[in-house]
Amino acid sequence: FENHWAKLTLFLRTPGVPISNAECERLLKTAVVRRKNSLFSMTEFGAKMCDAFMSVIQTAVACGANPFKCLAELQLN
């Protein structure tokens, strides 16, 4: 433990690094739930389409955009 102290505490000396990784864990939880739900898709193609939509939705949420507007724009274009 003492041999690795400098590496373990590097984030404390790096400006701008968040203390908590809660946001990353929240995003991972979404991916895990999506993977679990894909087991109930009727086809492999259906599962891939659900993954694509969830990717667009999560990207929009992460950027602070309205996911419904993003999906509507994708449908129009």
Side-chain angles (χ1 to χ4, degrees):
F1 184 77
E2 292 176 9
N3 295 338
H4 302 288
W5 185 254
K7 292 179 183 176
L8 289 171
T9 59
L10 179 64
F11 74 98
L12 295 172
R13 297 184 302 276
T14 306
V17 174
I19 298 294
S20 172
N21 67 343
E23 184 178 351
C24 292
E25 289 189 16
R26 182 180 50 81
L27 291 172
L28 284 173
K29 182 178 179 183
T30 304
V32 169
V33 169
R34 174 65 215 128
R35 184 180 63 205
K36 180 181 161 189
N37 290 341
S38 70
L39 295 172
F40 300 104
S41 295
M42 298 297 277
T43 64
E44 184 178 343
F45 179 75
K48 287 180 180 181
M49 289 305 300
C50 287
D51 288 341
F53 280 118
M54 286 306 297
S55 177
V56 170
I57 291 168
Q58 290 302 317
T59 301
V61 169
C63 293
N66 183 339
F68 296 110
K69 287 184 180 181
C70 290
L71 290 172
E73 285 295 320
L74 283 174
Q75 191 174 20
L76 291 174
N77 297 306

